[in-house]
Every structure is written in structure tokens, then in C-alpha cells.
Amino acid sequence: MSGRGARSLGSTAFPIPFTHTRQTQPAPQRQDRSNVLQIRNLTKIYEDGTVALHDISFEVKDGEFLVIIGLSGSGKSTLLRCINRLIEPTSGQVIWDDVDITAANQGELRRIRRQIGMIFQHFNLVKRLPVLTNVLTGRLGYVSTWRSILGRWPREDRERAFRNLELVGIAEKAYNRADELSGGQQQRVGIARALMQEPRLLLADEPVASLDPATSHSVMKYIEQLNREMGVTVLCSLHFLSLARTYATRIIALKAGEIVFDGDPLDIDDRRFKEIYGEEAVEVEIR
Amino acid sequence: MARENSAEKNSPSIRNPSLAALLSLLVPGLGQILSGRRERGVSILLTTVVLLALVAWLKFWDLAPLILPFWLYNAWDARQLVLGRRVNTTLLVLLAALLTYSVGWRVTEIDVTQFVEGAPKIRPFVSGLLRPNYLTREIEYGEAKSPVEVPCSDNPPPLSPGPELPRITLDRPCANPGEPLEVFGEGFPPNIKGELWWENTIGDQSRLRVGREFVDFQTDDQGRFQAQIVVPQVTNENPQTHYVEARYVTHVGPLTVSETTYLVVQRMGETIAQALMATTLGALLAVFFSFPAARNLMAFHPVAILLYYVTRGMLNILRAIEPLIMAIVFVVWVGLGPFAGVLALTVHSIAALGKLYSEAIESIEPGPIEAITATGANRIQVIWFAVLPQVWPPFIAFTVYRWDINVRMSTIIGFVGGGGIGFLLQQWIRLTDFRSAGAAIWAIALVVTVLDFLSREVRRRVV
Ligand SMILES: Nc1ncnc2c1ncn2[C@@H]1O[C@H](COP(=O)(O)OP(=O)(O)O)[C@@H](O)[C@H]1O
Ligand SMILES: [Mg+2]
């Protein structure tokens, strides 16, 4: 598996336009593109009255790399967190594989969550714990409370953890404390943790917003690799359109909690851009 | 400018500086109020009223004139305000402080003379403190006795010095009250000082004097001495046998560890153990209470929020009660001794640590909790993997620090019967055994310093 990963990373020559590459290598899972995730009339109103999401509906096909763009405060984080109910939606439904996540009880919700990986802008690793333990926590939804607390992780989970660390290229850091790693390395640990869940869906909330441009691309490529080689459906929020164009198969743009664009990355022209980011933002982006 | 501004804001307004000054002279602050500076004027008026009321209530009439500088300057201030000139608020405050501090000085009975003149009174204490008696030489008591008939009968018993040493011999076998009597000693340790005592027929003993001076003796290189005593008055006129006694105390052998030291070490151990037990018990219970006292963990449900307020309130009340007072209560409850101290310190530690722990929990990063929750972990797993790793370092740091504090507090608690070194120290101070008290105080200082160092090291390492 790690061999495959290494080959793939080496062969993905950047900056060849990504859409082109994808069209020439259709993944087998994408033949039957059923809608695995349906968002129906999702609304989130925070306790202070902020309407973060307003009646959002869309569907996600299996294997899509869906990028959500929008200004900060447009509701990207809220949307992603409503999907695995880290934030309780005010109304509306999130349907995953014909299961209504919004109607699930606590036990069901945990079983759904364990199939949905998540990575974060600030990585959200447990800083004082070793990298290996951080990665193993990705299995918490599968391992009994006592086994996990006593550190008696199943042998195959340990092996899986090392495989995943190798996959993201930091196996030698397994026993370091998480906060000893650089930002890019920490995000790769985050990806390895999400991989432990063997996720079918990956939620990524501005995963590269705290990284420099070069590191950003290396992290995005790992996410792309999950999407293309393991068939993981990806919902990823990004701040910059340029990154979104490079990696997305489809883009949804949010503005003030509403969808203002949903379609192919190449269809975002100047007019659309202004709609999403506002008139003043154009210059900034161009410069 | 300023004048016109204020005139616009608060009308009616006076524009005559002399009138303003006069008004303020009559009623402090009035000129300021009427010239549009209401807040300043009211502050001045209130300050004056409060200060004068204080003086009147305490009947410190002689201090009343000290209000004058403030009063006069307030009139000047009103004038300057109306003229639109710069005013000096700092000076106004300082002048008000003059009377305030004078009253404070008197209320707290500060007495510099007493402070200076009383200093010599603590000399015994300081000298004890400077000479803690950790080490001592073994002491040997010795005595020799000789009978003497007082007053002289017609045929007194013959002088018959015994064979064993040391011994004393008198120059004659009988004497009358008030007569001098020569005492010879031999076989004593060389070059020591000793005391001479008188023992009457019923065994009462008193130290012999000539005039007002005690009669002491000093032996020579051979362990001999010669001294003159005056026979004391006796009650019975019939001749009876009394005794002259030579007593001495010698320090023999090398310096050895004193009884005080053993006591100090033993009781210091008790104090440290007391603090250890109290900190451990307190920490365990504090952990238990800290989770419901952490707002971020309890925000999920109204009942939980209620529990939060109840726990918080309880911890705050407990923390407000000084351990010394708790110790008094527990001494009544479980009796004198270290256990009472342990209980008092435990209760206080629960409150203090519970608050600190809960604040540590409240300040954890939410990110890891979010991430672990997203993996499908249950609540226990989230606490174990995302909360605990973030809170145990501050928990340990606070706990070690609390132990350090508890050792210090436990010395105080001993004063009210809570056991430990404080108990001993308090007794020695009462018995004016300042050298032993000094030994205890230095031991406390040493232990506190060492613990302070250790706790700092531990805190440095875990955080
Ligand atoms: N916990 C919260 N309470 C109240 N308002 C919030 C909260 N979290 C986010 N918001 C508001 O909701 C809106 C959407 O926020 P967010 O989803 O974080 O946007 P984005 O991730 O696109 O920057 C913003 O106006 C934000 O201020
Ligand atoms: Mg966000």
C-alpha cells in the first residue's frame, strides 16, 4: 500500500492541470456515481441568533472531491460540522447512505462518525501525546473503551497505524510528541488519524490554511491521493480559489450561509468570482 | 475654551472665579458643581463629608485641621476651573490622603517609640534563634554533702569526712546562724564552677548567699576549692543537723545530637506527613469536584449547569474559611493531634485545588476534543484522550505547590493543637525555651525552602 502511495505521489506531476489528469484516469468506483450524501434544507442558527447556514441543499456523489469555498464567516466550518453533528443543525437533514444522521441517537451517531474522517485547520492533535497514539485515536470508534484506555490496542490497529504513518511519510516520528512536529507534519498526522477510521467520507476544514504554500500542496496531494486511490469522498473547505481549482472535481461556494455557486471549477469566471468574494476582493486576488 | 464648553454642557453656570472660590470655601465642591464640573465637585464634597464624618465618629478632633489644606486647595481648584486653567487632580488627591493616612496611623496604633524601645525585649528570643540547640554535650551532675550542727550544742558530733570523692569538709562541726563557715572541697573535676546549697532538717534546699550574691565555687587544677559561706537563719533553737552541699554540672564527652533535635525531626516528619496526607486526600476529592465545577464541561444541559453552580458555590464557601479556623473545629471534633490538622488541611485543599483544577479544565483547547469526538469516540474516551492529557500537567503542578503550602500551613495549625512541629514550637515559646524554638524555626525554614525548590523543579518539568 505504501509503495502504491509513493509511486502515485511521484507520478502526480504538479502543475499539470488536475482536471485533465483525472479525466484520463477514471477510478473504477466512480462508474456508478450514486448520491452518498444528501444535505436537505440545512439551517443552523447559533444561540446568539447568527444564521450561519440558511436552507442549504445539495447532494454529493460517491468519490467526488467537493471543495467548499467562501469568505471567512460564510459558513464553511458550520456546514462541515453539521454533517457529523459536531454542531447540531437547527433544522434540515443530512442523509448518508440512506441513513438520516440528523435523526441518529448517540450510539448510532458514533457508529456513523467512525466512518467519517475529519481534518482541521489547526490539526487538533493532542499535543502531549506521541504521534503514534494520536494516530491510534482514529480507531476509538472501533475499539472498546477499556482496551483503548489501557492502551491495549489490537495488533492490526498498531500495524495499520504504522502503515498510515508511512503513507504520509513520517513513520520515523511515531514516538515523538505531537507538538514537536512542524505544521505540515502535524497535518499529515491528522490525515493518518483520519485514515485509521477507514473512512468513506473525509471532511477537511481548511486543512492547509495554517501552512505555507509549498507545504499546502504537499498536504493537498495526500488528500487527493485518498480520494483517487481509495475512493474516499472528500468535502474540503478552502479559502483560496486557486487551490480549489487545482484539486476540486466540483465546487460549492457559500456566501452568508447560502449557496451562490455549485458546479465545475472551470465555470467560475470573473463575474461568478465577484459574486462569491465581493467586488473589492477581485483586486486582492488578482494581485 | 474649557469654560465655554462646560457652560454649554451644564447650565446654569457661574463665570466669576472669585465667586466659585468663595462657594467652594463655604461648601467644598460647590464651586466646581456650579461651574459645570459636576462629577469633580461631587467627588470633592463626598470626600470632605466622609473624612469629617470619620474624624467625628472616632473623636479624633485634633486631626480635624488636617482637612484644611484640602479644603483651601479645593477653593483654588474652583477658581482655576472657572478661569479655564490647568487643574492638578493629583495634588487634590494627595491632600485628601493626608488626613486619611493620619487617621489610619492612629487607628492602627502605630508607635515608633515603642518599636524602637521595645527592641531589646526580644533579645532572649533572638539569641535563642541564633543558637539553636541541635547539638549538646552530655552533662554530668555531681554533689558532695557535709553535716553541720546549727546552732552549736555543748558537744557537737565530730567531723568525719567520708572516704569517697568528691567530698567537702568544713572547718568546724557546728556553727551558729550568721557565722561564717569555711568549706573545703576535693576530688571534684578540675576547673569547673559549682554552686553551694543549704539543706535543712526537713530537706528544704536553698542556694547559699553572702549578702545578695550567690556563693559559687571554682575548682583548681587538682579539683580542689575553698569557699566561705554564711550560716543562714534557722527556725528551731535546738541544735539540729543541717547539711552544706556542693553541686556541679559538667559537660562531658563530645558534642552529641540533642533531645531537641530528635523532637524537631520527629515532629517535622509528622508535619510533612500531615501535609502529604492532606494534599493527597484533598487532590483526589478535588479532581472529583473539579469536573462538575468546569463550565465548559457542564454547558451541555440545564441540570448540569445547575450542578456547576452548586459545586462552584460550595468550593468558594469552603475556600473562604481559613484552615486555622477549620483546625479549631476539627480539634473539637476529633481531639488534639495531627489528625485534626490533616482534616483541616484536606478540606481547604479540596476547595483550593478544586478551583484551580476546574480552571485548568476550562482553559483546555477545544480542538482535540472536537477531533476525538469526530472519530466516533464515546464520552469516556474523549475525556481520557483529549481532556486528561491537557489537564494533568497543570494538575500535578498545582498539587505539588499545594503540598508546599500545606507544609507551611501545618506549622501554623500546630499552634491550635493540630499536631506537628507547630505544636512543639508553640510549647517551647510558652516555656521561653528559645534555643529549642530556634531549632524548630530553622528546621521549618529549611524544609520549606527545600520543598519550594522541589516543587518548582517538578512544575518546570511537567509543564
Ligand atoms: N459558536 C458560534 N456562536 C455564534 N456564532 C458563530 C459560532 N460559530 C460561528 N459563528 C458565526 O457563524 C457564521 C459562520 O461561521 P463559520 O462556519 O465559522 O464560517 P467559516 O468557516 O466560513 O469562516 C459566522 O458569522 C460566525 O461568526
Ligand atoms: Mg472556518
Side-chain angles (χ1 to χ4, degrees), chain A residues 79-94:
Chain A
L79 172 58
L80 290 173
R81 281 169 175 70
C82 279
I83 291 172
N84 62 359
R85 275 175 58 192
L86 285 180
I87 291 175
E88 285 295 335
T90 308
S91 64
Q93 288 170 306
V94 176

PDB file of all heavy atoms in Angstrom, chain A residues 79-94:
ATOM      1  N   LEU A  79     -21.048  24.214   8.117  1.00  0.00           N
ATOM      2  CA  LEU A  79     -21.599  23.184   7.226  1.00  0.00           C
ATOM      3  C   LEU A  79     -20.910  21.837   7.461  1.00  0.00           C
ATOM      4  O   LEU A  79     -21.564  20.816   7.657  1.00  0.00           O
ATOM      5  CB  LEU A  79     -21.435  23.630   5.766  1.00  0.00           C
ATOM      6  CG  LEU A  79     -21.787  22.585   4.708  1.00  0.00           C
ATOM      7  CD1 LEU A  79     -23.239  22.129   4.877  1.00  0.00           C
ATOM      8  CD2 LEU A  79     -21.571  23.140   3.300  1.00  0.00           C
ATOM      9  N   LEU A  80     -19.578  21.845   7.458  1.00  0.00           N
ATOM     10  CA  LEU A  80     -18.855  20.585   7.625  1.00  0.00           C
ATOM     11  C   LEU A  80     -19.167  19.945   8.980  1.00  0.00           C
ATOM     12  O   LEU A  80     -19.333  18.735   9.090  1.00  0.00           O
ATOM     13  CB  LEU A  80     -17.348  20.814   7.498  1.00  0.00           C
ATOM     14  CG  LEU A  80     -16.876  21.156   6.073  1.00  0.00           C
ATOM     15  CD1 LEU A  80     -15.407  21.544   6.074  1.00  0.00           C
ATOM     16  CD2 LEU A  80     -17.112  19.969   5.154  1.00  0.00           C
ATOM     17  N   ARG A  81     -19.272  20.751  10.038  1.00  0.00           N
ATOM     18  CA  ARG A  81     -19.526  20.210  11.372  1.00  0.00           C
ATOM     19  C   ARG A  81     -20.962  19.758  11.549  1.00  0.00           C
ATOM     20  O   ARG A  81     -21.246  18.933  12.425  1.00  0.00           O
ATOM     21  CB  ARG A  81     -19.153  21.247  12.433  1.00  0.00           C
ATOM     22  CG  ARG A  81     -17.654  21.305  12.675  1.00  0.00           C
ATOM     23  CD  ARG A  81     -17.274  22.506  13.527  1.00  0.00           C
ATOM     24  NE  ARG A  81     -15.860  22.502  13.855  1.00  0.00           N
ATOM     25  CZ  ARG A  81     -14.887  22.718  12.971  1.00  0.00           C
ATOM     26  NH1 ARG A  81     -15.169  22.933  11.710  1.00  0.00           N
ATOM     27  NH2 ARG A  81     -13.609  22.702  13.355  1.00  0.00           N
ATOM     28  N   CYS A  82     -21.867  20.299  10.752  1.00  0.00           N
ATOM     29  CA  CYS A  82     -23.249  19.825  10.833  1.00  0.00           C
ATOM     30  C   CYS A  82     -23.362  18.423  10.250  1.00  0.00           C
ATOM     31  O   CYS A  82     -24.247  17.655  10.624  1.00  0.00           O
ATOM     32  CB  CYS A  82     -24.184  20.773  10.085  1.00  0.00           C
ATOM     33  SG  CYS A  82     -24.627  22.232  11.049  1.00  0.00           S
ATOM     34  N   ILE A  83     -22.456  18.099   9.326  1.00  0.00           N
ATOM     35  CA  ILE A  83     -22.555  16.788   8.683  1.00  0.00           C
ATOM     36  C   ILE A  83     -22.270  15.671   9.683  1.00  0.00           C
ATOM     37  O   ILE A  83     -22.997  14.682   9.735  1.00  0.00           O
ATOM     38  CB  ILE A  83     -21.608  16.723   7.459  1.00  0.00           C
ATOM     39  CG1 ILE A  83     -22.164  17.654   6.367  1.00  0.00           C
ATOM     40  CG2 ILE A  83     -21.463  15.299   6.953  1.00  0.00           C
ATOM     41  CD1 ILE A  83     -21.253  17.850   5.190  1.00  0.00           C
ATOM     42  N   ASN A  84     -21.233  15.800  10.527  1.00  0.00           N
ATOM     43  CA  ASN A  84     -21.025  14.753  11.545  1.00  0.00           C
ATOM     44  C   ASN A  84     -21.520  15.195  12.923  1.00  0.00           C
ATOM     45  O   ASN A  84     -21.175  14.619  13.938  1.00  0.00           O
ATOM     46  CB  ASN A  84     -19.552  14.318  11.605  1.00  0.00           C
ATOM     47  CG  ASN A  84     -18.618  15.449  12.003  1.00  0.00           C
ATOM     48  OD1 ASN A  84     -19.058  16.570  12.224  1.00  0.00           O
ATOM     49  ND2 ASN A  84     -17.344  15.139  12.091  1.00  0.00           N
ATOM     50  N   ARG A  85     -22.311  16.232  12.911  1.00  0.00           N
ATOM     51  CA  ARG A  85     -23.003  16.723  14.102  1.00  0.00           C
ATOM     52  C   ARG A  85     -22.070  17.094  15.252  1.00  0.00           C
ATOM     53  O   ARG A  85     -22.412  16.928  16.429  1.00  0.00           O
ATOM     54  CB  ARG A  85     -24.074  15.736  14.565  1.00  0.00           C
ATOM     55  CG  ARG A  85     -25.379  15.957  13.808  1.00  0.00           C
ATOM     56  CD  ARG A  85     -26.437  14.943  14.120  1.00  0.00           C
ATOM     57  NE  ARG A  85     -26.789  14.878  15.539  1.00  0.00           N
ATOM     58  CZ  ARG A  85     -27.527  13.895  16.067  1.00  0.00           C
ATOM     59  NH1 ARG A  85     -27.988  12.920  15.296  1.00  0.00           N
ATOM     60  NH2 ARG A  85     -27.800  13.892  17.353  1.00  0.00           N
ATOM     61  N   LEU A  86     -20.875  17.575  14.906  1.00  0.00           N
ATOM     62  CA  LEU A  86     -20.087  18.239  15.941  1.00  0.00           C
ATOM     63  C   LEU A  86     -20.836  19.501  16.330  1.00  0.00           C
ATOM     64  O   LEU A  86     -20.722  19.998  17.444  1.00  0.00           O
ATOM     65  CB  LEU A  86     -18.697  18.603  15.416  1.00  0.00           C
ATOM     66  CG  LEU A  86     -17.708  17.457  15.263  1.00  0.00           C
ATOM     67  CD1 LEU A  86     -16.382  17.971  14.746  1.00  0.00           C
ATOM     68  CD2 LEU A  86     -17.519  16.704  16.572  1.00  0.00           C
ATOM     69  N   ILE A  87     -21.614  20.009  15.375  1.00  0.00           N
ATOM     70  CA  ILE A  87     -22.552  21.090  15.646  1.00  0.00           C
ATOM     71  C   ILE A  87     -23.936  20.569  15.300  1.00  0.00           C
ATOM     72  O   ILE A  87     -24.121  19.955  14.244  1.00  0.00           O
ATOM     73  CB  ILE A  87     -22.218  22.332  14.793  1.00  0.00           C
ATOM     74  CG1 ILE A  87     -20.900  22.962  15.273  1.00  0.00           C
ATOM     75  CG2 ILE A  87     -23.343  23.347  14.843  1.00  0.00           C
ATOM     76  CD1 ILE A  87     -20.437  24.116  14.422  1.00  0.00           C
ATOM     77  N   GLU A  88     -24.892  20.762  16.211  1.00  0.00           N
ATOM     78  CA  GLU A  88     -26.249  20.293  15.949  1.00  0.00           C
ATOM     79  C   GLU A  88     -26.951  21.263  15.008  1.00  0.00           C
ATOM     80  O   GLU A  88     -27.076  22.443  15.326  1.00  0.00           O
ATOM     81  CB  GLU A  88     -27.039  20.202  17.267  1.00  0.00           C
ATOM     82  CG  GLU A  88     -26.673  19.029  18.155  1.00  0.00           C
ATOM     83  CD  GLU A  88     -27.005  17.670  17.520  1.00  0.00           C
ATOM     84  OE1 GLU A  88     -27.909  17.601  16.657  1.00  0.00           O
ATOM     85  OE2 GLU A  88     -26.343  16.682  17.894  1.00  0.00           O
ATOM     86  N   PRO A  89     -27.420  20.778  13.860  1.00  0.00           N
ATOM     87  CA  PRO A  89     -28.160  21.659  12.962  1.00  0.00           C
ATOM     88  C   PRO A  89     -29.464  22.109  13.621  1.00  0.00           C
ATOM     89  O   PRO A  89     -30.022  21.393  14.456  1.00  0.00           O
ATOM     90  CB  PRO A  89     -28.467  20.785  11.746  1.00  0.00           C
ATOM     91  CG  PRO A  89     -27.694  19.528  11.919  1.00  0.00           C
ATOM     92  CD  PRO A  89     -27.321  19.406  13.344  1.00  0.00           C
ATOM     93  N   THR A  90     -29.915  23.282  13.243  1.00  0.00           N
ATOM     94  CA  THR A  90     -31.182  23.772  13.794  1.00  0.00           C
ATOM     95  C   THR A  90     -32.352  23.053  13.105  1.00  0.00           C
ATOM     96  O   THR A  90     -33.301  22.632  13.761  1.00  0.00           O
ATOM     97  CB  THR A  90     -31.304  25.291  13.581  1.00  0.00           C
ATOM     98  OG1 THR A  90     -30.119  25.904  14.085  1.00  0.00           O
ATOM     99  CG2 THR A  90     -32.510  25.850  14.303  1.00  0.00           C
ATOM    100  N   SER A  91     -32.257  22.906  11.798  1.00  0.00           N
ATOM    101  CA  SER A  91     -33.270  22.126  11.090  1.00  0.00           C
ATOM    102  C   SER A  91     -32.661  21.596   9.802  1.00  0.00           C
ATOM    103  O   SER A  91     -31.566  21.982   9.417  1.00  0.00           O
ATOM    104  CB  SER A  91     -34.500  22.989  10.791  1.00  0.00           C
ATOM    105  OG  SER A  91     -34.135  24.034   9.912  1.00  0.00           O
ATOM    106  N   GLY A  92     -33.395  20.704   9.156  1.00  0.00           N
ATOM    107  CA  GLY A  92     -32.891  20.092   7.938  1.00  0.00           C
ATOM    108  C   GLY A  92     -32.335  18.703   8.208  1.00  0.00           C
ATOM    109  O   GLY A  92     -32.311  18.250   9.354  1.00  0.00           O
ATOM    110  N   GLN A  93     -31.925  18.051   7.128  1.00  0.00           N
ATOM    111  CA  GLN A  93     -31.456  16.678   7.271  1.00  0.00           C
ATOM    112  C   GLN A  93     -30.122  16.482   6.589  1.00  0.00           C
ATOM    113  O   GLN A  93     -29.813  17.141   5.597  1.00  0.00           O
ATOM    114  CB  GLN A  93     -32.461  15.723   6.629  1.00  0.00           C
ATOM    115  CG  GLN A  93     -33.742  15.591   7.412  1.00  0.00           C
ATOM    116  CD  GLN A  93     -34.775  14.842   6.601  1.00  0.00           C
ATOM    117  OE1 GLN A  93     -35.080  15.208   5.456  1.00  0.00           O
ATOM    118  NE2 GLN A  93     -35.301  13.788   7.186  1.00  0.00           N
ATOM    119  N   VAL A  94     -29.349  15.557   7.140  1.00  0.00           N
ATOM    120  CA  VAL A  94     -28.132  15.106   6.486  1.00  0.00           C
ATOM    121  C   VAL A  94     -28.289  13.608   6.312  1.00  0.00           C
ATOM    122  O   VAL A  94     -28.433  12.876   7.298  1.00  0.00           O
ATOM    123  CB  VAL A  94     -26.886  15.423   7.331  1.00  0.00           C
ATOM    124  CG1 VAL A  94     -25.648  14.850   6.673  1.00  0.00           C
ATOM    125  CG2 VAL A  94     -26.750  16.917   7.545  1.00  0.00           C
TER     126      VAL A  94
END
